[in-house]
Coordinates of all heavy atoms in Angstrom, one line a residue:
T50 N -60.3 40.0 -47.6 CA -58.9 39.6 -47.5 C -58.4 39.9 -46.1 O -57.8 39.0 -45.5 CB -58.1 40.4 -48.5 OG1 -58.5 40.1 -49.8 CG2 -56.6 39.9 -48.4
V51 N -58.7 41.1 -45.5 CA -58.2 41.4 -44.2 C -58.9 40.5 -43.2 O -58.3 40.0 -42.2 CB -58.5 42.9 -43.9 CG1 -58.3 43.2 -42.4 CG2 -57.7 43.8 -44.7
L52 N -60.2 40.2 -43.4 CA -61.0 39.4 -42.5 C -60.4 38.0 -42.4 O -60.3 37.4 -41.4 CB -62.4 39.4 -42.9 CG -63.5 38.8 -41.9 CD1 -63.5 39.7 -40.6 CD2 -64.8 38.7 -42.5
V53 N -60.1 37.4 -43.6 CA -59.6 36.0 -43.7 C -58.3 36.0 -43.0 O -58.0 35.0 -42.3 CB -59.5 35.6 -45.2 CG1 -58.7 34.3 -45.3 CG2 -60.9 35.4 -45.8
K54 N -57.4 36.9 -43.3 CA -56.1 36.9 -42.7 C -56.2 37.0 -41.1 O -55.5 36.3 -40.4 CB -55.2 38.1 -43.2 CG -54.8 37.8 -44.7 CD -53.9 39.0 -45.1 CE -53.4 38.7 -46.6 NZ -52.6 39.9 -47.1
K55 N -57.1 37.9 -40.7 CA -57.2 38.1 -39.2 C -57.7 36.8 -38.6 O -57.2 36.4 -37.6 CB -58.2 39.3 -39.0 CG -58.5 39.5 -37.5 CD -59.4 40.6 -37.3 CE -59.8 40.8 -35.8 NZ -60.8 41.9 -35.6
H56 N -58.8 36.2 -39.2 CA -59.3 35.0 -38.6 C -58.4 33.8 -38.7 O -58.4 32.9 -37.9 CB -60.7 34.7 -39.2 CG -61.8 35.6 -38.7 ND1 -62.3 35.4 -37.4 CD2 -62.4 36.7 -39.2 CE1 -63.3 36.4 -37.2 NE2 -63.3 37.1 -38.3
G57 N -57.6 33.8 -39.8 CA -56.6 32.8 -39.9 C -55.5 32.8 -38.9 O -55.1 31.8 -38.3
L58 N -55.1 34.1 -38.5 CA -54.1 34.3 -37.5 C -54.7 33.9 -36.1 O -54.1 33.2 -35.3 CB -53.7 35.8 -37.4 CG -52.5 36.1 -36.6 CD1 -51.3 35.5 -37.1 CD2 -52.3 37.6 -36.5
N59 N -56.0 34.2 -35.9 CA -56.6 33.8 -34.6 C -56.8 32.3 -34.5 O -56.6 31.8 -33.5 CB -58.0 34.5 -34.5 CG -57.9 36.0 -34.4 OD1 -56.9 36.5 -33.9 ND2 -59.0 36.8 -34.7
A60 N -57.1 31.7 -35.7 CA -57.3 30.3 -35.7 C -56.0 29.5 -35.3 O -56.0 28.6 -34.6 CB -57.8 29.8 -37.0
V61 N -54.9 30.0 -35.9 CA -53.6 29.4 -35.6 C -53.2 29.5 -34.2 O -52.8 28.6 -33.5 CB -52.5 30.0 -36.5 CG1 -51.1 29.5 -36.1 CG2 -52.7 29.6 -38.0
T62 N -53.4 30.7 -33.7 CA -53.1 31.0 -32.2 C -54.0 30.1 -31.3 O -53.5 29.6 -30.4 CB -53.4 32.5 -31.9 OG1 -52.6 33.3 -32.8 CG2 -53.0 32.8 -30.5
A63 N -55.3 30.0 -31.6 CA -56.2 29.2 -30.8 C -55.8 27.7 -30.9 O -55.8 27.0 -29.9 CB -57.6 29.4 -31.3
L64 N -55.4 27.3 -32.1 CA -55.0 25.9 -32.2 C -53.7 25.6 -31.4 O -53.7 24.5 -30.7 CB -54.7 25.6 -33.7 CG -54.2 24.2 -34.0 CD1 -55.3 23.1 -33.7 CD2 -53.8 24.1 -35.5
L65 N -52.8 26.5 -31.4 CA -51.6 26.3 -30.6 C -51.9 26.4 -29.1 O -51.2 25.7 -28.3 CB -50.5 27.4 -31.0 CG -49.9 27.2 -32.4 CD1 -49.0 28.3 -32.8 CD2 -49.2 25.8 -32.5
F66 N -52.8 27.3 -28.7 CA -53.2 27.4 -27.3 C -53.8 26.0 -26.9 O -53.5 25.5 -25.8 CB -54.3 28.4 -27.2 CG -53.8 29.8 -26.9 CD1 -52.4 30.1 -27.1 CD2 -54.6 30.8 -26.4 CE1 -51.9 31.4 -26.9 CE2 -54.1 32.1 -26.1 CZ -52.8 32.4 -26.4
G67 N -54.6 25.4 -27.7 CA -55.2 24.1 -27.4 C -54.2 23.1 -27.3 O -54.2 22.2 -26.4
L68 N -53.2 23.1 -28.2 CA -52.1 22.1 -28.2 C -51.3 22.3 -26.9 O -50.9 21.3 -26.3 CB -51.2 22.3 -29.4 CG -50.2 21.2 -29.7 CD1 -50.8 19.9 -29.9 CD2 -49.3 21.6 -30.9
A69 N -51.1 23.5 -26.5 CA -50.3 23.8 -25.2 C -51.1 23.3 -24.0 O -50.5 22.6 -23.1 CB -50.0 25.3 -25.1
F70 N -52.4 23.5 -24.0 CA -53.2 23.0 -22.9 C -53.2 21.5 -22.9 O -53.1 20.8 -21.8 CB -54.7 23.4 -23.1 CG -55.0 24.8 -22.5 CD1 -55.3 25.9 -23.3 CD2 -54.9 25.0 -21.1 CE1 -55.5 27.1 -22.7 CE2 -55.2 26.2 -20.5 CZ -55.5 27.3 -21.3
W71 N -53.2 20.8 -24.0 CA -53.2 19.4 -24.1 C -51.9 18.8 -23.6 O -51.9 17.8 -22.9 CB -53.5 19.0 -25.6 CG -53.4 17.5 -25.8 CD1 -54.0 16.5 -25.1 CD2 -52.5 16.8 -26.7 NE1 -53.6 15.2 -25.6 CE2 -52.7 15.4 -26.6 CE3 -51.6 17.3 -27.7 CZ2 -52.0 14.5 -27.4 CZ3 -50.9 16.3 -28.4 CH2 -51.1 15.0 -28.3
R72 N -50.8 19.4 -24.0 CA -49.5 18.9 -23.6 C -49.0 19.3 -22.2 O -48.4 18.5 -21.5 CB -48.4 19.4 -24.6 CG -48.6 18.9 -26.0 CD -48.4 17.4 -26.1 NE -47.0 17.0 -25.8 CZ -46.7 15.8 -25.5 NH1 -47.6 14.8 -25.5 NH2 -45.4 15.5 -25.1
L73 N -49.4 20.5 -21.8 CA -48.9 21.0 -20.5 C -49.9 20.9 -19.4 O -49.6 20.9 -18.2 CB -48.5 22.5 -20.6 CG -47.3 22.7 -21.6 CD1 -47.1 24.2 -21.8 CD2 -46.0 22.1 -21.0
G74 N -51.2 20.8 -19.7 CA -52.2 20.8 -18.7 C -52.2 22.1 -18.0 O -51.9 23.2 -18.6
F75 N -52.5 22.1 -16.7 CA -52.5 23.3 -15.9 C -51.2 23.4 -15.1 O -51.2 23.7 -13.9 CB -53.7 23.4 -14.9 CG -55.0 23.6 -15.7 CD1 -55.8 22.6 -16.0 CD2 -55.4 24.9 -16.0 CE1 -57.0 22.8 -16.7 CE2 -56.6 25.1 -16.7 CZ -57.4 24.1 -17.0
S76 N -50.1 23.2 -15.8 CA -48.8 23.3 -15.2 C -48.5 24.8 -14.9 O -49.0 25.7 -15.6 CB -47.7 22.7 -16.1 OG -47.7 23.4 -17.4
P77 N -47.6 25.0 -13.9 CA -47.3 26.4 -13.6 C -46.7 27.3 -14.7 O -46.9 28.5 -14.7 CB -46.3 26.3 -12.4 CG -46.5 24.9 -11.9 CD -46.9 24.1 -13.0
E78 N -46.0 26.7 -15.6 CA -45.4 27.5 -16.7 C -46.3 27.7 -17.9 O -45.9 28.3 -18.9 CB -44.1 26.8 -17.2 CG -44.2 25.5 -18.0 CD -44.3 24.3 -17.2 OE1 -44.5 24.4 -16.0 OE2 -44.0 23.2 -17.7
L79 N -47.5 27.2 -17.8 CA -48.5 27.4 -18.9 C -48.7 28.8 -19.3 O -48.7 29.1 -20.5 CB -49.8 26.7 -18.6 CG -50.9 26.8 -19.6 CD1 -50.5 26.1 -20.9 CD2 -52.2 26.3 -19.1
P80 N -48.9 29.8 -18.4 CA -49.0 31.2 -18.8 C -47.8 31.7 -19.6 O -48.0 32.5 -20.5 CB -49.2 31.9 -17.4 CG -49.7 30.9 -16.5 CD -49.1 29.6 -16.9
A81 N -46.6 31.3 -19.2 CA -45.4 31.7 -20.0 C -45.5 31.2 -21.4 O -45.1 31.9 -22.3 CB -44.2 31.3 -19.2
V82 N -45.9 29.9 -21.5 CA -45.9 29.3 -22.9 C -47.0 30.0 -23.7 O -46.8 30.2 -24.9 CB -46.2 27.8 -22.8 CG1 -46.4 27.2 -24.1 CG2 -45.0 27.1 -22.0
L83 N -48.2 30.3 -23.1 CA -49.2 31.0 -23.8 C -48.8 32.4 -24.3 O -49.1 32.8 -25.4 CB -50.5 31.0 -23.0 CG -51.2 29.7 -22.6 CD1 -52.4 29.9 -21.8 CD2 -51.5 28.9 -23.8
A84 N -48.1 33.1 -23.4 CA -47.6 34.4 -23.8 C -46.6 34.3 -24.9 O -46.6 35.1 -25.8 CB -46.9 35.0 -22.6
F85 N -45.8 33.2 -24.9 CA -44.8 33.0 -26.0 C -45.6 32.7 -27.3 O -45.2 33.2 -28.4 CB -43.9 31.8 -25.7 CG -43.0 31.5 -26.8 CD1 -41.8 32.2 -27.0 CD2 -43.2 30.4 -27.6 CE1 -41.0 32.0 -28.1 CE2 -42.3 30.1 -28.7 CZ -41.2 30.9 -28.9
I86 N -46.6 31.9 -27.2 CA -47.4 31.6 -28.4 C -48.1 32.9 -29.0 O -48.0 33.1 -30.2 CB -48.5 30.5 -28.1 CG1 -47.8 29.2 -27.9 CG2 -49.5 30.4 -29.3 CD1 -48.7 28.1 -27.4
L87 N -48.7 33.7 -28.1 CA -49.4 34.9 -28.5 C -48.4 35.8 -29.3 O -48.7 36.3 -30.4 CB -50.0 35.5 -27.3 CG -50.9 36.8 -27.6 CD1 -52.1 36.4 -28.4 CD2 -51.3 37.4 -26.3
G88 N -47.3 36.1 -28.6 CA -46.3 37.0 -29.3 C -45.6 36.3 -30.4 O -45.3 37.0 -31.4
G89 N -45.3 35.0 -30.3 CA -44.5 34.3 -31.3 C -45.2 34.2 -32.6 O -44.6 34.4 -33.7
V90 N -46.5 34.0 -32.6 CA -47.3 33.9 -33.9 C -47.3 35.2 -34.6 O -47.1 35.3 -35.8 CB -48.7 33.4 -33.6 CG1 -49.6 33.6 -34.8 CG2 -48.8 32.0 -33.1
L91 N -47.5 36.3 -33.8 CA -47.5 37.6 -34.4 C -46.2 37.9 -35.0 O -46.0 38.4 -36.2 CB -47.9 38.6 -33.4 CG -48.2 40.0 -33.9 CD1 -49.3 40.1 -35.0 CD2 -48.6 40.9 -32.7
L92 N -45.1 37.7 -34.3 CA -43.7 38.0 -34.7 C -43.4 37.1 -36.0 O -42.8 37.6 -36.9 CB -42.7 37.7 -33.6 CG -42.7 38.7 -32.5 CD1 -41.9 38.2 -31.3 CD2 -42.2 40.1 -33.0
A93 N -43.8 35.9 -36.0 CA -43.5 35.0 -37.1 C -44.2 35.5 -38.4 O -43.5 35.5 -39.4 CB -43.9 33.6 -36.8
V94 N -45.4 35.9 -38.3 CA -46.1 36.4 -39.4 C -45.5 37.7 -39.9 O -45.3 37.8 -41.2 CB -47.6 36.6 -39.1 CG1 -48.3 37.3 -40.2 CG2 -48.3 35.3 -38.8
I95 N -45.2 38.6 -39.1 CA -44.6 39.9 -39.5 C -43.2 39.6 -40.1 O -42.9 40.2 -41.2 CB -44.4 40.8 -38.3 CG1 -45.8 41.3 -37.8 CG2 -43.6 42.1 -38.7 CD1 -45.8 42.0 -36.5
D96 N -42.4 38.8 -39.5 CA -41.1 38.6 -40.0 C -41.1 37.9 -41.4 O -40.3 38.2 -42.3 CB -40.3 37.7 -39.0 CG -38.8 37.7 -39.3 OD1 -38.3 38.6 -40.0 OD2 -38.1 36.7 -39.0
W97 N -42.1 37.0 -41.5 CA -42.2 36.3 -42.8 C -42.6 37.2 -43.9 O -42.2 37.1 -45.1 CB -43.3 35.1 -42.7 CG -43.4 34.3 -43.9 CD1 -44.3 34.4 -44.9 CD2 -42.5 33.2 -44.3 NE1 -44.1 33.4 -45.8 CE2 -43.0 32.7 -45.5 CE3 -41.4 32.7 -43.7 CZ2 -42.4 31.6 -46.2 CZ3 -40.8 31.6 -44.3 CH2 -41.3 31.1 -45.5
K98 N -43.5 38.2 -43.6 CA -44.0 39.1 -44.6 C -43.0 40.2 -44.9 O -42.8 40.6 -46.1 CB -45.3 39.8 -44.1 CG -46.5 38.8 -44.0 CD -47.0 38.4 -45.3 CE -48.2 37.6 -45.3 NZ -48.7 37.1 -46.6
V99 N -42.4 40.8 -43.9 CA -41.5 42.0 -44.2 C -40.1 41.9 -43.7 O -39.3 42.8 -43.7 CB -42.2 43.3 -43.5 CG1 -43.5 43.5 -44.1 CG2 -42.3 43.1 -42.0
Q100 N -39.7 40.7 -43.2 CA -38.4 40.4 -42.7 C -37.9 41.4 -41.7 O -36.9 42.0 -41.8 CB -37.4 40.4 -43.9 CG -37.6 39.2 -44.9 CD -36.6 39.2 -46.0 OE1 -35.9 40.2 -46.3 NE2 -36.4 38.0 -46.5
R101 N -38.8 41.5 -40.7 CA -38.5 42.5 -39.6 C -39.2 42.0 -38.3 O -40.3 41.5 -38.4 CB -39.0 43.9 -40.0 CG -38.8 44.9 -38.9 CD -39.2 46.3 -39.4 NE -39.1 47.3 -38.3 CZ -40.2 47.6 -37.6 NH1 -41.4 47.1 -37.8 NH2 -40.0 48.5 -36.6
L102 N -38.5 42.1 -37.2 CA -39.1 41.7 -35.9 C -39.2 43.0 -35.1 O -38.2 43.5 -34.6 CB -38.2 40.7 -35.2 CG -38.1 39.3 -35.8 CD1 -36.9 38.6 -35.3 CD2 -39.4 38.5 -35.6
P103 N -40.5 43.5 -35.0 CA -40.7 44.8 -34.3 C -40.2 44.7 -32.8 O -40.5 43.8 -32.1 CB -42.2 45.0 -34.3 CG -42.6 44.2 -35.5 CD -41.7 43.0 -35.6
T104 N -39.3 45.7 -32.4 CA -38.7 45.6 -31.1 C -39.7 45.6 -30.0 O -39.6 44.9 -29.0 CB -37.8 46.9 -31.0 OG1 -36.8 46.9 -32.0 CG2 -37.1 46.9 -29.6
R105 N -40.8 46.4 -30.2 CA -41.8 46.5 -29.1 C -42.5 45.2 -28.8 O -42.6 44.8 -27.7 CB -42.8 47.6 -29.4 CG -43.8 47.8 -28.3 CD -44.8 49.0 -28.7 NE -44.0 50.2 -28.8 CZ -44.6 51.4 -29.0 NH1 -45.9 51.5 -29.3 NH2 -43.9 52.5 -29.1

Side-chain angles (χ1 to χ4, degrees):
T50 301
V51 173
L52 192 65
V53 168
K54 288 181 178 179
K55 178 181 176 182
H56 283 284
L58 191 64
N59 291 340
V61 170
T62 305
L64 179 64
L65 292 175
F66 272 17
L68 191 59
F70 273 112
W71 175 56
R72 295 295 298 165
L73 298 171
F75 288 98
S76 60
E78 73 269 20
L79 178 63
V82 175
L83 295 182
F85 176 76
I86 291 172
L87 185 63
V90 169
L91 188 57
L92 287 168
V94 170
I95 294 172
D96 194 25
W97 186 262
K98 291 290 186 182
V99 299
Q100 293 185 336
R101 179 174 174 268
L102 292 164
T104 302
R105 183 175 296 182

